[in-house]
Amino acid sequence: MTPISLRKLRKVFGTTVAVDDADLSVSAGDLFFLLGPSGCGKTTLLRMLAGFTEPTAGRICFGEQEVTHVPANRRNTGMVFQGYALWPHMTVAQNVAFGLQVRRIGAAEREKQVAAALRMVQMGSYAERKPNELSGGQQQRVALARALVIKPTVLLLDEPLSNLDAKLRLEMRGQIKHLCKRSGITAVYVTHDQKEALSMADTIAVMHQGRVMQVGRPRELYNRPRSRFVADFLGETNFIQGRIKGRDDGRVVIDCPAGRIVSSAFGEELPSEGEVTCSIRPEAIRVLENGQPRPQNVVKARRRDVIYLGEMAQHLLSIEGDVPIKAFELNPRRVPEGREVELGFDSHDVVILSD
């Protein structure tokens, strides 16, 4: 297993800064995700790792070896592309064997390794088929086998599931994660799909406009985003502007349009006073009814609409100052009557953002 480190990695195309001084450390054996919207620089960063794109500045190390200017064919990386990139005139076995042929592995050993790789992705019985005789999911498994059979130092995956339908994407998520963990390989995976990253990753780096905005475990990023961009990009959230008024028993007291709320989710760099933005996830907000326990924060709101989705109801509301609020209710029993309601949420669900 090989760790990866990037130091001040930068790529400029003309006047466009595609990757802006990226500093990242990927632990050995990690399934590491580069997540962000289209054009954020994640694929450019992956291509620099692969050796397909030359960095403008900075360093790339695989373990103790610097590979910044090492040609792609000498980095021993396996690449899985969005469009499979299988040769249509070759059989499945021939596609998987190609990398071994380039490395001049003998025929008997090559056949043995190809068979093992196909068994790993449960495609052993399809060895003599052509790619056009396979489904999209089967083709992607062949592409995985081709990348893994050469025993790469690092596995790179560029949005490998984006061409598959929704059901097949769900199935392939588990298979790719299982294969990466079973092989013990360090993998870097590019996607713009938040659910894909949250459900599969050991660690995620969220990128925006060429910069790495935040790095952390999926639960940490979702529950404790540091910026408005990360909070908004990873799922849905409500933003409430307020002003810090002081501290109370280790919690920050904030005046907002709905009144006084308290937060226990904030960083060490939080100022003692001034304007702040709070992020509150819709699933953390409860529409209170008579007799329910009262959480630390209770605000009055006006219901505008309720969207029933079977397993969930989306309550669309507004608080004082016509600030929109969304609340999710799982397994809804009934819609409470009346337009004036109270909303409740805990202090640890009020995240004060640093920017």
Side-chain angles (χ1 to χ4, degrees), residues 35-55:
L35 175 67
S38 297
C40 72
K42 57 188 185 295
T43 296
T44 300
L45 197 156
L46 191 80
R47 289 180 63 84
M48 287 191 283
L49 283 174
F52 300 153
T53 298
E54 184 78 6

mmCIF file of all heavy atoms in Angstrom, residues 35-55:
data_model
loop_
_atom_site.group_PDB
_atom_site.id
_atom_site.type_symbol
_atom_site.label_atom_id
_atom_site.label_comp_id
_atom_site.label_asym_id
_atom_site.label_seq_id
_atom_site.Cartn_x
_atom_site.Cartn_y
_atom_site.Cartn_z
ATOM 1 N N LEU A 35 -14.104 15.516 -4.886
ATOM 2 C CA LEU A 35 -15.517 15.815 -5.100
ATOM 3 C C LEU A 35 -15.694 17.297 -5.397
ATOM 4 O O LEU A 35 -15.093 18.148 -4.729
ATOM 5 C CB LEU A 35 -16.309 15.431 -3.849
ATOM 6 C CG LEU A 35 -17.797 15.781 -3.811
ATOM 7 C CD1 LEU A 35 -18.570 14.965 -4.853
ATOM 8 C CD2 LEU A 35 -18.371 15.539 -2.412
ATOM 9 N N GLY A 36 -16.540 17.594 -6.380
ATOM 10 C CA GLY A 36 -16.819 18.990 -6.673
ATOM 11 C C GLY A 36 -17.622 19.121 -7.943
ATOM 12 O O GLY A 36 -17.791 18.148 -8.696
ATOM 13 N N PRO A 37 -18.132 20.314 -8.234
ATOM 14 C CA PRO A 37 -18.918 20.525 -9.459
ATOM 15 C C PRO A 37 -18.047 20.484 -10.696
ATOM 16 O O PRO A 37 -16.810 20.522 -10.616
ATOM 17 C CB PRO A 37 -19.514 21.925 -9.233
ATOM 18 C CG PRO A 37 -18.528 22.613 -8.343
ATOM 19 C CD PRO A 37 -17.989 21.546 -7.438
ATOM 20 N N SER A 38 -18.684 20.428 -11.855
ATOM 21 C CA SER A 38 -17.940 20.434 -13.119
ATOM 22 C C SER A 38 -17.080 21.692 -13.208
ATOM 23 O O SER A 38 -17.529 22.788 -12.871
ATOM 24 C CB SER A 38 -18.912 20.385 -14.303
ATOM 25 O OG SER A 38 -19.647 19.187 -14.285
ATOM 26 N N GLY A 39 -15.837 21.512 -13.675
ATOM 27 C CA GLY A 39 -14.938 22.641 -13.843
ATOM 28 C C GLY A 39 -14.195 23.062 -12.604
ATOM 29 O O GLY A 39 -13.496 24.081 -12.611
ATOM 30 N N CYS A 40 -14.272 22.258 -11.522
ATOM 31 C CA CYS A 40 -13.607 22.654 -10.266
ATOM 32 C C CYS A 40 -12.132 22.267 -10.238
ATOM 33 O O CYS A 40 -11.405 22.686 -9.341
ATOM 34 C CB CYS A 40 -14.333 22.049 -9.067
ATOM 35 S SG CYS A 40 -14.106 20.265 -8.891
ATOM 36 N N GLY A 41 -11.676 21.449 -11.185
ATOM 37 C CA GLY A 41 -10.260 21.067 -11.240
ATOM 38 C C GLY A 41 -9.962 19.650 -10.814
ATOM 39 O O GLY A 41 -8.801 19.211 -10.860
ATOM 40 N N LYS A 42 -10.975 18.887 -10.438
ATOM 41 C CA LYS A 42 -10.727 17.546 -9.901
ATOM 42 C C LYS A 42 -10.152 16.586 -10.953
ATOM 43 O O LYS A 42 -9.244 15.808 -10.658
ATOM 44 C CB LYS A 42 -11.999 16.970 -9.273
ATOM 45 C CG LYS A 42 -13.195 16.891 -10.181
ATOM 46 C CD LYS A 42 -14.457 16.497 -9.404
ATOM 47 C CE LYS A 42 -15.649 16.298 -10.349
ATOM 48 N NZ LYS A 42 -16.056 17.557 -11.021
ATOM 49 N N THR A 43 -10.674 16.634 -12.187
ATOM 50 C CA THR A 43 -10.149 15.749 -13.227
ATOM 51 C C THR A 43 -8.741 16.163 -13.644
ATOM 52 O O THR A 43 -7.878 15.313 -13.906
ATOM 53 C CB THR A 43 -11.091 15.730 -14.443
ATOM 54 O OG1 THR A 43 -12.347 15.162 -14.046
ATOM 55 C CG2 THR A 43 -10.511 14.892 -15.577
ATOM 56 N N THR A 44 -8.477 17.472 -13.686
ATOM 57 C CA THR A 44 -7.120 17.945 -13.992
ATOM 58 C C THR A 44 -6.138 17.433 -12.943
ATOM 59 O O THR A 44 -5.033 16.988 -13.272
ATOM 60 C CB THR A 44 -7.079 19.483 -14.041
ATOM 61 O OG1 THR A 44 -7.974 19.940 -15.058
ATOM 62 C CG2 THR A 44 -5.678 19.989 -14.342
ATOM 63 N N LEU A 45 -6.549 17.474 -11.676
ATOM 64 C CA LEU A 45 -5.682 16.975 -10.607
ATOM 65 C C LEU A 45 -5.434 15.473 -10.776
ATOM 66 O O LEU A 45 -4.299 15.001 -10.633
ATOM 67 C CB LEU A 45 -6.323 17.277 -9.254
ATOM 68 C CG LEU A 45 -5.413 17.206 -8.017
ATOM 69 C CD1 LEU A 45 -5.976 18.069 -6.889
ATOM 70 C CD2 LEU A 45 -5.245 15.787 -7.518
ATOM 71 N N LEU A 46 -6.484 14.727 -11.127
ATOM 72 C CA LEU A 46 -6.333 13.282 -11.330
ATOM 73 C C LEU A 46 -5.388 13.002 -12.502
ATOM 74 O O LEU A 46 -4.550 12.088 -12.439
ATOM 75 C CB LEU A 46 -7.696 12.638 -11.590
ATOM 76 C CG LEU A 46 -7.706 11.102 -11.565
ATOM 77 C CD1 LEU A 46 -7.729 10.607 -10.128
ATOM 78 C CD2 LEU A 46 -8.907 10.544 -12.328
ATOM 79 N N ARG A 47 -5.509 13.786 -13.571
ATOM 80 C CA ARG A 47 -4.645 13.589 -14.741
ATOM 81 C C ARG A 47 -3.181 13.904 -14.418
ATOM 82 O O ARG A 47 -2.273 13.292 -14.979
ATOM 83 C CB ARG A 47 -5.141 14.437 -15.911
ATOM 84 C CG ARG A 47 -6.453 13.931 -16.509
ATOM 85 C CD ARG A 47 -6.908 14.803 -17.661
ATOM 86 N NE ARG A 47 -5.952 14.756 -18.764
ATOM 87 C CZ ARG A 47 -5.914 13.820 -19.696
ATOM 88 N NH1 ARG A 47 -6.779 12.820 -19.661
ATOM 89 N NH2 ARG A 47 -5.019 13.863 -20.664
ATOM 90 N N MET A 48 -2.943 14.839 -13.496
ATOM 91 C CA MET A 48 -1.568 15.100 -13.057
ATOM 92 C C MET A 48 -1.037 13.923 -12.256
ATOM 93 O O MET A 48 0.144 13.558 -12.364
ATOM 94 C CB MET A 48 -1.495 16.406 -12.264
ATOM 95 C CG MET A 48 -1.635 17.652 -13.127
ATOM 96 S SD MET A 48 -1.236 19.194 -12.275
ATOM 97 C CE MET A 48 -2.711 19.442 -11.289
ATOM 98 N N LEU A 49 -1.891 13.298 -11.440
ATOM 99 C CA LEU A 49 -1.482 12.094 -10.714
ATOM 100 C C LEU A 49 -1.132 10.963 -11.678
ATOM 101 O O LEU A 49 -0.181 10.214 -11.453
ATOM 102 C CB LEU A 49 -2.604 11.634 -9.782
ATOM 103 C CG LEU A 49 -2.817 12.401 -8.479
ATOM 104 C CD1 LEU A 49 -4.067 11.898 -7.771
ATOM 105 C CD2 LEU A 49 -1.616 12.250 -7.564
ATOM 106 N N ALA A 50 -1.899 10.856 -12.755
ATOM 107 C CA ALA A 50 -1.671 9.783 -13.722
ATOM 108 C C ALA A 50 -0.451 10.036 -14.593
ATOM 109 O O ALA A 50 0.092 9.100 -15.191
ATOM 110 C CB ALA A 50 -2.903 9.624 -14.604
ATOM 111 N N GLY A 51 -0.028 11.301 -14.692
ATOM 112 C CA GLY A 51 1.087 11.634 -15.573
ATOM 113 C C GLY A 51 0.643 12.059 -16.954
ATOM 114 O O GLY A 51 1.465 12.254 -17.850
ATOM 115 N N PHE A 52 -0.680 12.237 -17.164
ATOM 116 C CA PHE A 52 -1.197 12.659 -18.466
ATOM 117 C C PHE A 52 -1.076 14.177 -18.658
ATOM 118 O O PHE A 52 -1.087 14.659 -19.789
ATOM 119 C CB PHE A 52 -2.671 12.261 -18.628
ATOM 120 C CG PHE A 52 -2.928 10.782 -18.538
ATOM 121 C CD1 PHE A 52 -4.162 10.308 -18.121
ATOM 122 C CD2 PHE A 52 -1.947 9.859 -18.871
ATOM 123 C CE1 PHE A 52 -4.409 8.946 -18.039
ATOM 124 C CE2 PHE A 52 -2.186 8.504 -18.794
ATOM 125 C CZ PHE A 52 -3.418 8.038 -18.377
ATOM 126 N N THR A 53 -1.035 14.917 -17.539
ATOM 127 C CA THR A 53 -0.936 16.376 -17.586
ATOM 128 C C THR A 53 0.247 16.817 -16.739
ATOM 129 O O THR A 53 0.392 16.383 -15.590
ATOM 130 C CB THR A 53 -2.234 17.031 -17.059
ATOM 131 O OG1 THR A 53 -3.326 16.645 -17.902
ATOM 132 C CG2 THR A 53 -2.135 18.548 -17.045
ATOM 133 N N GLU A 54 1.089 17.682 -17.302
ATOM 134 C CA GLU A 54 2.278 18.162 -16.594
ATOM 135 C C GLU A 54 1.907 19.312 -15.661
ATOM 136 O O GLU A 54 1.277 20.291 -16.085
ATOM 137 C CB GLU A 54 3.314 18.648 -17.620
ATOM 138 C CG GLU A 54 4.635 19.074 -17.030
ATOM 139 C CD GLU A 54 5.535 17.904 -16.656
ATOM 140 O OE1 GLU A 54 5.183 16.739 -16.962
ATOM 141 O OE2 GLU A 54 6.602 18.156 -16.070
ATOM 142 N N PRO A 55 2.267 19.238 -14.391
ATOM 143 C CA PRO A 55 1.962 20.354 -13.474
ATOM 144 C C PRO A 55 2.729 21.620 -13.853
ATOM 145 O O PRO A 55 3.851 21.552 -14.382
ATOM 146 C CB PRO A 55 2.432 19.830 -12.110
ATOM 147 C CG PRO A 55 2.577 18.354 -12.265
ATOM 148 C CD PRO A 55 2.924 18.122 -13.696
#
